[in-house]
Amino acid sequence: MIIFFICITLLILGYKFYSPFVEKQVGIDPTAQTPQVRFEEGIDYVAIHPVKAFLIQFLNIAGVGPIFGPILGALYGPIALVWIVLGNILGGAVHDYFSGVLSIKEDGKSLPEIAGHYYNVFFKAVMLVFTAMLLFFVGVVFIMSPAGLLSNLTYFEGTFLAGNTFWVLVILSYYLLATLLPIDKIITKFYPIFGLLMIVMTSLIAISLLFNAPHLPVAGDFLGYFNADHYNHDFLEPNADGLPVWPLLFMTITCGAISGFHSTQAPIIARCLTNEKYVRPVYYGAMMCEGIVGCVWALAGIAAFPEGYSELKALLDQGGPGLVVNHIANSYLGALGGIMAIIAVAVFPITSGDTAFRSLRLTLVDAFNIPQNLRNRLLLAVPILIIAYFMTKLDFSLIWRYFAFSNMLLSTCVLWLATKFLFERGTFHWIASLPAVIGTSVTASYIMTARIGFNMPIEYSKPIGVAVGVVTLLLLIISHNKRPKTLIT
């Protein structure tokens, strides 16, 4: 069980020692007036206590992502834990922190507007397309997954509640309210409660792992698990199902490691913070906590299946990650686990879907300077949700593939945006630029060989990714050497 403590300890130490170093490069000003103070209007710019802001941000970015993704990542064995911990410390937490910093320093604006400020109109347009696409796909995915679960509950068999369409319409109705109403009417009232539920559930699973997880690797044989027969793949090589660690593991586990979706949620809270000093505990802290959630569920996915890959894969094929959550929760927590499982795979996705559509409204409002009266909010929200309803009729797996690519691409763009911000300040840009190089390499590798991309043979993925990474790094070094030598301290 020492591996369990190592993972959690590294994430906490990353927050304790690395996040202050990251913050030092930014120029946080506790005396500056925040967007909330300057633009208070009772709809989106509303003051929120920092503790409540943390819980809302945590739930906004978490939802079901750090549960489902790490469970799917457990197919690769303990290498999933390495990616979650290192990805979170060096990439994801930095990405989320800069998402908050850039938004709060730019009047609470959305990513495309910030991109236009630091780069150009072209980059703004690219960011607008991919931000809107990602938010829309997230919203659609988090209509389909909870509706599917609720319609299949045995409690509802033989009643109208067993219909998938009924639950889709119920969820869409709630999304309409959450998109239209002021943030302090629904989100600030209920999200802190669900955020605490996420923490409680994760804590209970973690405690159960400590006392009832005989199949977890220990320090002495951890590295041996990378080549263990029951996972049947070597480091960065295809496993028994032909799924290569590079680049698919990085696309499979995003929430918990690094996720572009998180940056789309940043403006919601950036418009509500009353002091810049709260950015680090709210944004960096929420991502660190999500990393802990991801580690717990990846470990649970490994521990609950003594036969390893084949046993976990069989259950995933039977009912997806939701069925695995149900199996893990019931195995470790009994009857309480069954309730927790329903909350995890039904309620938590909804808390990400509603803020996805709210963020989409904010993004379009910022891009086209639309006044925020009730009529305009309706004219934006209603057509979006109608289109979303028809999108729920499409193949879930196809939508998920587009979501995964958009997610990684957007996180890489945000890291390059943070790099430009640090370049202009003359501070240590490598904290953002090196993860951006890796993200560029992974994204290029994936889209070249993915079915939704160029569909090239999978053996081309690594050399393409390495080549793109090397070229990007060389260009970065050239830019670094050309910049002014005066540093801001």
Short mmCIF file of all heavy atoms in Angstrom, two decimals, residues 123-174:
data_model
loop_
_atom_site.label_atom_id
_atom_site.label_comp_id
_atom_site.label_asym_id
_atom_site.label_seq_id
_atom_site.Cartn_x
_atom_site.Cartn_y
_atom_site.Cartn_z
N PHE A 123 -5.92 32.94 -34.05
CA PHE A 123 -5.87 32.06 -32.88
C PHE A 123 -7.15 32.17 -32.06
O PHE A 123 -7.64 31.18 -31.52
CB PHE A 123 -4.65 32.39 -32.03
CG PHE A 123 -4.30 31.33 -31.02
CD1 PHE A 123 -3.88 30.08 -31.42
CD2 PHE A 123 -4.39 31.58 -29.65
CE1 PHE A 123 -3.56 29.09 -30.51
CE2 PHE A 123 -4.07 30.59 -28.72
CZ PHE A 123 -3.65 29.35 -29.16
N LYS A 124 -7.70 33.37 -32.00
CA LYS A 124 -8.98 33.56 -31.30
C LYS A 124 -10.07 32.74 -31.95
O LYS A 124 -10.88 32.08 -31.27
CB LYS A 124 -9.36 35.04 -31.31
CG LYS A 124 -10.75 35.32 -30.75
CD LYS A 124 -11.10 36.80 -30.86
CE LYS A 124 -12.54 37.05 -30.42
NZ LYS A 124 -12.90 38.49 -30.50
N ALA A 125 -10.11 32.74 -33.29
CA ALA A 125 -11.14 31.98 -34.01
C ALA A 125 -10.97 30.49 -33.78
O ALA A 125 -11.96 29.76 -33.57
CB ALA A 125 -11.07 32.30 -35.50
N VAL A 126 -9.72 30.00 -33.81
CA VAL A 126 -9.46 28.58 -33.56
C VAL A 126 -9.91 28.20 -32.16
O VAL A 126 -10.58 27.17 -31.96
CB VAL A 126 -7.96 28.26 -33.75
CG1 VAL A 126 -7.65 26.84 -33.28
CG2 VAL A 126 -7.57 28.42 -35.22
N MET A 127 -9.57 29.02 -31.19
CA MET A 127 -9.96 28.75 -29.81
C MET A 127 -11.48 28.79 -29.65
O MET A 127 -12.06 28.00 -28.90
CB MET A 127 -9.31 29.75 -28.87
CG MET A 127 -7.81 29.59 -28.71
SD MET A 127 -7.38 28.14 -27.73
CE MET A 127 -7.64 28.77 -26.08
N LEU A 128 -12.13 29.70 -30.35
CA LEU A 128 -13.59 29.79 -30.27
C LEU A 128 -14.24 28.52 -30.79
O LEU A 128 -15.15 27.96 -30.17
CB LEU A 128 -14.09 31.00 -31.05
CG LEU A 128 -15.62 31.19 -31.11
CD1 LEU A 128 -16.20 31.35 -29.71
CD2 LEU A 128 -15.98 32.39 -31.98
N VAL A 129 -13.75 28.03 -31.94
CA VAL A 129 -14.32 26.82 -32.53
C VAL A 129 -14.14 25.62 -31.60
O VAL A 129 -15.09 24.88 -31.32
CB VAL A 129 -13.67 26.54 -33.90
CG1 VAL A 129 -14.07 25.14 -34.40
CG2 VAL A 129 -14.08 27.59 -34.92
N PHE A 130 -12.91 25.42 -31.12
CA PHE A 130 -12.65 24.23 -30.32
C PHE A 130 -13.24 24.35 -28.91
O PHE A 130 -13.66 23.35 -28.33
CB PHE A 130 -11.15 23.95 -30.25
CG PHE A 130 -10.64 23.24 -31.46
CD1 PHE A 130 -9.99 23.94 -32.47
CD2 PHE A 130 -10.84 21.88 -31.62
CE1 PHE A 130 -9.55 23.29 -33.61
CE2 PHE A 130 -10.40 21.22 -32.75
CZ PHE A 130 -9.75 21.92 -33.75
N THR A 131 -13.29 25.55 -28.35
CA THR A 131 -13.94 25.73 -27.05
C THR A 131 -15.42 25.43 -27.15
O THR A 131 -15.98 24.69 -26.33
CB THR A 131 -13.72 27.16 -26.53
OG1 THR A 131 -12.33 27.42 -26.38
CG2 THR A 131 -14.40 27.36 -25.18
N ALA A 132 -16.08 26.01 -28.15
CA ALA A 132 -17.51 25.78 -28.32
C ALA A 132 -17.80 24.31 -28.62
O ALA A 132 -18.75 23.72 -28.08
CB ALA A 132 -18.05 26.66 -29.45
N MET A 133 -16.96 23.69 -29.46
CA MET A 133 -17.16 22.29 -29.80
C MET A 133 -17.00 21.41 -28.57
O MET A 133 -17.82 20.51 -28.32
CB MET A 133 -16.14 21.87 -30.88
CG MET A 133 -16.32 20.44 -31.39
SD MET A 133 -15.29 20.08 -32.83
CE MET A 133 -13.66 20.06 -32.09
N LEU A 134 -15.95 21.66 -27.78
CA LEU A 134 -15.72 20.85 -26.59
C LEU A 134 -16.86 21.01 -25.59
O LEU A 134 -17.37 20.02 -25.04
CB LEU A 134 -14.39 21.25 -25.94
CG LEU A 134 -14.04 20.53 -24.63
CD1 LEU A 134 -13.91 19.02 -24.86
CD2 LEU A 134 -12.76 21.08 -24.04
N LEU A 135 -17.27 22.23 -25.33
CA LEU A 135 -18.35 22.46 -24.37
C LEU A 135 -19.64 21.79 -24.82
O LEU A 135 -20.37 21.20 -24.01
CB LEU A 135 -18.58 23.97 -24.19
CG LEU A 135 -17.52 24.70 -23.38
CD1 LEU A 135 -17.71 26.21 -23.49
CD2 LEU A 135 -17.58 24.28 -21.91
N PHE A 136 -19.92 21.86 -26.12
CA PHE A 136 -21.14 21.24 -26.64
C PHE A 136 -21.07 19.72 -26.49
O PHE A 136 -22.03 19.09 -26.03
CB PHE A 136 -21.34 21.64 -28.09
CG PHE A 136 -22.63 21.14 -28.67
CD1 PHE A 136 -23.84 21.73 -28.33
CD2 PHE A 136 -22.66 20.07 -29.54
CE1 PHE A 136 -25.04 21.27 -28.85
CE2 PHE A 136 -23.84 19.60 -30.08
CZ PHE A 136 -25.03 20.20 -29.73
N PHE A 137 -19.94 19.13 -26.85
CA PHE A 137 -19.80 17.67 -26.74
C PHE A 137 -19.87 17.21 -25.29
O PHE A 137 -20.45 16.17 -24.99
CB PHE A 137 -18.49 17.21 -27.39
CG PHE A 137 -18.52 17.22 -28.89
CD1 PHE A 137 -17.39 17.57 -29.62
CD2 PHE A 137 -19.67 16.90 -29.58
CE1 PHE A 137 -17.41 17.58 -31.00
CE2 PHE A 137 -19.71 16.91 -30.96
CZ PHE A 137 -18.58 17.25 -31.68
N VAL A 138 -19.26 17.98 -24.38
CA VAL A 138 -19.34 17.64 -22.95
C VAL A 138 -20.79 17.65 -22.51
O VAL A 138 -21.25 16.73 -21.81
CB VAL A 138 -18.51 18.62 -22.11
CG1 VAL A 138 -18.83 18.45 -20.62
CG2 VAL A 138 -17.02 18.40 -22.33
N GLY A 139 -21.52 18.70 -22.89
CA GLY A 139 -22.92 18.78 -22.51
C GLY A 139 -23.72 17.60 -23.04
O GLY A 139 -24.53 17.01 -22.31
N VAL A 140 -23.50 17.23 -24.30
CA VAL A 140 -24.24 16.11 -24.90
C VAL A 140 -23.88 14.79 -24.22
O VAL A 140 -24.76 13.98 -23.89
CB VAL A 140 -23.96 16.02 -26.42
CG1 VAL A 140 -24.57 14.75 -27.01
CG2 VAL A 140 -24.52 17.25 -27.13
N VAL A 141 -22.58 14.56 -24.01
CA VAL A 141 -22.14 13.33 -23.34
C VAL A 141 -22.78 13.21 -21.97
O VAL A 141 -23.22 12.13 -21.56
CB VAL A 141 -20.59 13.30 -23.23
CG1 VAL A 141 -20.14 12.25 -22.23
CG2 VAL A 141 -19.97 13.03 -24.59
N PHE A 142 -22.87 14.34 -21.25
CA PHE A 142 -23.40 14.30 -19.90
C PHE A 142 -24.91 14.50 -19.86
O PHE A 142 -25.49 14.76 -18.81
CB PHE A 142 -22.67 15.32 -19.01
CG PHE A 142 -21.24 14.92 -18.76
CD1 PHE A 142 -20.26 15.88 -18.56
CD2 PHE A 142 -20.88 13.59 -18.72
CE1 PHE A 142 -18.94 15.51 -18.32
CE2 PHE A 142 -19.57 13.21 -18.48
CZ PHE A 142 -18.60 14.17 -18.28
N ILE A 143 -25.54 14.41 -21.02
CA ILE A 143 -26.98 14.13 -21.07
C ILE A 143 -27.18 12.63 -21.25
O ILE A 143 -27.96 11.99 -20.55
CB ILE A 143 -27.65 14.87 -22.26
CG1 ILE A 143 -27.59 16.37 -22.10
CG2 ILE A 143 -29.12 14.43 -22.37
CD1 ILE A 143 -28.01 17.13 -23.35
N MET A 144 -26.41 12.06 -22.16
CA MET A 144 -26.60 10.67 -22.56
C MET A 144 -26.23 9.69 -21.44
O MET A 144 -26.97 8.74 -21.18
CB MET A 144 -25.75 10.38 -23.80
CG MET A 144 -26.15 11.20 -25.02
SD MET A 144 -24.95 11.13 -26.36
CE MET A 144 -25.25 9.49 -27.01
N SER A 145 -25.09 9.92 -20.76
CA SER A 145 -24.65 8.92 -19.78
C SER A 145 -25.57 8.84 -18.56
O SER A 145 -25.97 7.73 -18.17
CB SER A 145 -23.20 9.19 -19.37
OG SER A 145 -23.02 10.48 -18.86
N PRO A 146 -25.96 9.96 -17.91
CA PRO A 146 -26.87 9.81 -16.78
C PRO A 146 -28.27 9.38 -17.18
O PRO A 146 -28.93 8.63 -16.45
CB PRO A 146 -26.89 11.21 -16.14
CG PRO A 146 -26.47 12.14 -17.22
CD PRO A 146 -25.52 11.37 -18.07
N ALA A 147 -28.75 9.81 -18.37
CA ALA A 147 -30.07 9.39 -18.82
C ALA A 147 -30.10 7.88 -19.05
O ALA A 147 -31.07 7.20 -18.69
CB ALA A 147 -30.45 10.13 -20.10
N GLY A 148 -29.02 7.36 -19.62
CA GLY A 148 -28.95 5.91 -19.85
C GLY A 148 -28.95 5.13 -18.56
O GLY A 148 -29.61 4.09 -18.44
N LEU A 149 -28.22 5.63 -17.56
CA LEU A 149 -28.19 4.94 -16.28
C LEU A 149 -29.55 4.96 -15.59
O LEU A 149 -30.05 3.93 -15.15
CB LEU A 149 -27.14 5.58 -15.36
CG LEU A 149 -27.19 5.05 -13.93
CD1 LEU A 149 -26.50 3.71 -13.80
CD2 LEU A 149 -26.60 6.04 -12.95
N LEU A 150 -30.15 6.15 -15.52
CA LEU A 150 -31.42 6.28 -14.80
C LEU A 150 -32.53 5.47 -15.46
O LEU A 150 -33.37 4.88 -14.77
CB LEU A 150 -31.81 7.76 -14.73
CG LEU A 150 -30.91 8.63 -13.83
CD1 LEU A 150 -31.21 10.12 -14.04
CD2 LEU A 150 -31.07 8.26 -12.37
N SER A 151 -32.54 5.43 -16.78
CA SER A 151 -33.61 4.69 -17.47
C SER A 151 -33.46 3.19 -17.30
O SER A 151 -34.44 2.45 -17.49
CB SER A 151 -33.60 5.05 -18.97
OG SER A 151 -32.39 4.63 -19.58
N ASN A 152 -32.27 2.72 -16.90
CA ASN A 152 -32.04 1.28 -16.76
C ASN A 152 -32.06 0.79 -15.31
O ASN A 152 -31.79 -0.39 -15.06
CB ASN A 152 -30.69 0.90 -17.40
CG ASN A 152 -30.75 0.94 -18.91
OD1 ASN A 152 -31.66 0.39 -19.52
ND2 ASN A 152 -29.80 1.63 -19.53
N LEU A 153 -32.35 1.69 -14.37
CA LEU A 153 -32.43 1.26 -12.98
C LEU A 153 -33.60 0.29 -12.79
O LEU A 153 -34.70 0.50 -13.31
CB LEU A 153 -32.61 2.47 -12.06
CG LEU A 153 -31.40 3.39 -11.89
CD1 LEU A 153 -31.75 4.60 -11.03
CD2 LEU A 153 -30.21 2.65 -11.29
N THR A 154 -33.35 -0.75 -12.03
CA THR A 154 -34.39 -1.77 -11.82
C THR A 154 -35.61 -1.21 -11.11
O THR A 154 -36.71 -1.72 -11.28
CB THR A 154 -33.81 -2.94 -11.00
OG1 THR A 154 -33.27 -2.43 -9.77
CG2 THR A 154 -32.72 -3.64 -11.77
N TYR A 155 -35.40 -0.13 -10.32
CA TYR A 155 -36.53 0.46 -9.60
C TYR A 155 -37.60 0.97 -10.55
O TYR A 155 -38.78 1.09 -10.19
CB TYR A 155 -36.07 1.64 -8.73
CG TYR A 155 -34.84 1.35 -7.89
CD1 TYR A 155 -33.63 1.97 -8.16
CD2 TYR A 155 -34.90 0.44 -6.83
CE1 TYR A 155 -32.50 1.71 -7.39
CE2 TYR A 155 -33.77 0.18 -6.05
CZ TYR A 155 -32.58 0.80 -6.35
OH TYR A 155 -31.47 0.54 -5.59
N PHE A 156 -37.22 1.32 -11.78
CA PHE A 156 -38.14 1.97 -12.71
C PHE A 156 -38.70 1.02 -13.77
O PHE A 156 -39.42 1.46 -14.68
CB PHE A 156 -37.45 3.14 -13.41
CG PHE A 156 -36.93 4.20 -12.47
CD1 PHE A 156 -35.76 4.89 -12.76
CD2 PHE A 156 -37.61 4.50 -11.29
CE1 PHE A 156 -35.27 5.87 -11.90
CE2 PHE A 156 -37.14 5.47 -10.42
CZ PHE A 156 -35.96 6.16 -10.73
N GLU A 157 -38.37 -0.26 -13.69
CA GLU A 157 -38.82 -1.21 -14.71
C GLU A 157 -40.35 -1.25 -14.78
O GLU A 157 -41.04 -1.29 -13.75
CB GLU A 157 -38.29 -2.62 -14.39
CG GLU A 157 -36.81 -2.78 -14.71
CD GLU A 157 -36.34 -4.21 -14.45
OE1 GLU A 157 -37.19 -5.05 -14.09
OE2 GLU A 157 -35.13 -4.47 -14.59
N GLY A 158 -40.87 -1.22 -16.01
CA GLY A 158 -42.32 -1.30 -16.21
C GLY A 158 -43.05 0.01 -16.05
O GLY A 158 -44.27 0.04 -16.14
N THR A 159 -42.33 1.11 -15.81
CA THR A 159 -42.97 2.42 -15.66
C THR A 159 -42.46 3.36 -16.75
O THR A 159 -41.51 3.06 -17.47
CB THR A 159 -42.67 3.03 -14.28
OG1 THR A 159 -41.28 3.42 -14.23
CG2 THR A 159 -42.95 2.02 -13.17
N PHE A 160 -43.10 4.53 -16.85
CA PHE A 160 -42.66 5.52 -17.84
C PHE A 160 -41.26 6.04 -17.52
O PHE A 160 -40.58 6.61 -18.38
CB PHE A 160 -43.67 6.67 -17.90
CG PHE A 160 -43.66 7.56 -16.68
CD1 PHE A 160 -42.90 8.72 -16.66
CD2 PHE A 160 -44.41 7.23 -15.56
CE1 PHE A 160 -42.89 9.54 -15.54
CE2 PHE A 160 -44.41 8.04 -14.44
CZ PHE A 160 -43.65 9.20 -14.43
N LEU A 161 -40.82 5.85 -16.27
CA LEU A 161 -39.49 6.31 -15.87
C LEU A 161 -38.38 5.47 -16.50
O LEU A 161 -37.21 5.83 -16.44
CB LEU A 161 -39.35 6.27 -14.35
CG LEU A 161 -40.30 7.21 -13.58
CD1 LEU A 161 -40.14 7.00 -12.08
CD2 LEU A 161 -40.03 8.65 -13.94
N ALA A 162 -38.75 4.34 -17.11
CA ALA A 162 -37.76 3.47 -17.74
C ALA A 162 -37.41 3.94 -19.15
O ALA A 162 -36.56 3.36 -19.81
CB ALA A 162 -38.26 2.03 -17.79
N GLY A 163 -38.06 5.00 -19.62
CA GLY A 163 -37.78 5.49 -20.97
C GLY A 163 -36.61 6.45 -21.01
O GLY A 163 -36.53 7.39 -20.21
N ASN A 164 -35.68 6.23 -21.92
CA ASN A 164 -34.50 7.07 -22.02
C ASN A 164 -34.87 8.50 -22.41
O ASN A 164 -34.31 9.47 -21.88
CB ASN A 164 -33.53 6.49 -23.06
CG ASN A 164 -32.20 7.20 -23.07
OD1 ASN A 164 -31.40 7.07 -22.16
ND2 ASN A 164 -31.95 7.98 -24.11
N THR A 165 -35.85 8.64 -23.32
CA THR A 165 -36.26 9.98 -23.77
C THR A 165 -36.78 10.81 -22.61
O THR A 165 -36.52 12.03 -22.54
CB THR A 165 -37.33 9.86 -24.87
OG1 THR A 165 -36.79 9.13 -25.97
CG2 THR A 165 -37.77 11.23 -25.34
N PHE A 166 -37.52 10.20 -21.70
CA PHE A 166 -38.04 10.92 -20.55
C PHE A 166 -36.91 11.57 -19.76
O PHE A 166 -36.96 12.76 -19.42
CB PHE A 166 -38.85 9.98 -19.65
CG PHE A 166 -39.22 10.58 -18.32
CD1 PHE A 166 -40.29 11.45 -18.22
CD2 PHE A 166 -38.49 10.28 -17.17
CE1 PHE A 166 -40.63 12.03 -17.00
CE2 PHE A 166 -38.82 10.84 -15.95
CZ PHE A 166 -39.89 11.72 -15.86
N TRP A 167 -35.86 10.79 -19.46
CA TRP A 167 -34.77 11.32 -18.64
C TRP A 167 -33.94 12.35 -19.42
O TRP A 167 -33.43 13.31 -18.82
CB TRP A 167 -33.89 10.18 -18.14
CG TRP A 167 -34.57 9.38 -17.07
CD1 TRP A 167 -35.07 8.12 -17.16
CD2 TRP A 167 -34.85 9.82 -15.74
NE1 TRP A 167 -35.65 7.74 -15.98
CE2 TRP A 167 -35.53 8.76 -15.08
CE3 TRP A 167 -34.62 10.99 -15.04
CZ2 TRP A 167 -35.95 8.85 -13.76
CZ3 TRP A 167 -35.05 11.10 -13.72
CH2 TRP A 167 -35.70 10.04 -13.10
N VAL A 168 -33.81 12.17 -20.72
CA VAL A 168 -33.11 13.18 -21.53
C VAL A 168 -33.83 14.51 -21.43
O VAL A 168 -33.20 15.57 -21.24
CB VAL A 168 -33.03 12.73 -23.00
CG1 VAL A 168 -32.62 13.89 -23.91
CG2 VAL A 168 -32.02 11.59 -23.15
N LEU A 169 -35.15 14.50 -21.52
CA LEU A 169 -35.93 15.74 -21.43
C LEU A 169 -35.87 16.35 -20.04
O LEU A 169 -35.80 17.59 -19.89
CB LEU A 169 -37.38 15.47 -21.84
CG LEU A 169 -37.59 15.11 -23.31
CD1 LEU A 169 -39.05 14.73 -23.56
CD2 LEU A 169 -37.17 16.25 -24.22
N VAL A 170 -35.88 15.51 -19.00
CA VAL A 170 -35.76 16.03 -17.64
C VAL A 170 -34.42 16.73 -17.45
O VAL A 170 -34.33 17.84 -16.89
CB VAL A 170 -35.92 14.88 -16.61
CG1 VAL A 170 -35.52 15.34 -15.21
CG2 VAL A 170 -37.36 14.38 -16.60
N ILE A 171 -33.36 16.08 -17.89
CA ILE A 171 -32.01 16.64 -17.73
C ILE A 171 -31.87 17.93 -18.55
O ILE A 171 -31.31 18.93 -18.07
CB ILE A 171 -30.95 15.60 -18.14
CG1 ILE A 171 -30.96 14.43 -17.16
CG2 ILE A 171 -29.56 16.24 -18.19
CD1 ILE A 171 -30.14 13.24 -17.61
N LEU A 172 -32.41 17.94 -19.76
CA LEU A 172 -32.36 19.14 -20.59
C LEU A 172 -33.12 20.29 -19.94
O LEU A 172 -32.70 21.46 -20.03
CB LEU A 172 -32.92 18.84 -21.97
CG LEU A 172 -31.98 18.16 -22.96
CD1 LEU A 172 -32.74 17.73 -24.21
CD2 LEU A 172 -30.84 19.09 -23.35
N SER A 173 -34.24 20.00 -19.32
CA SER A 173 -35.01 21.04 -18.63
C SER A 173 -34.20 21.66 -17.50
O SER A 173 -34.19 22.89 -17.31
CB SER A 173 -36.32 20.46 -18.09
OG SER A 173 -37.12 19.96 -19.13
N TYR A 174 -33.52 20.80 -16.75
CA TYR A 174 -32.66 21.33 -15.68
C TYR A 174 -31.51 22.15 -16.27
O TYR A 174 -31.17 23.22 -15.75
CB TYR A 174 -32.09 20.19 -14.83
CG TYR A 174 -30.94 20.64 -13.98
CD1 TYR A 174 -31.15 21.48 -12.88
CD2 TYR A 174 -29.63 20.27 -14.29
CE1 TYR A 174 -30.09 21.93 -12.12
CE2 TYR A 174 -28.57 20.71 -13.53
CZ TYR A 174 -28.80 21.54 -12.44
OH TYR A 174 -27.75 22.00 -11.70
#
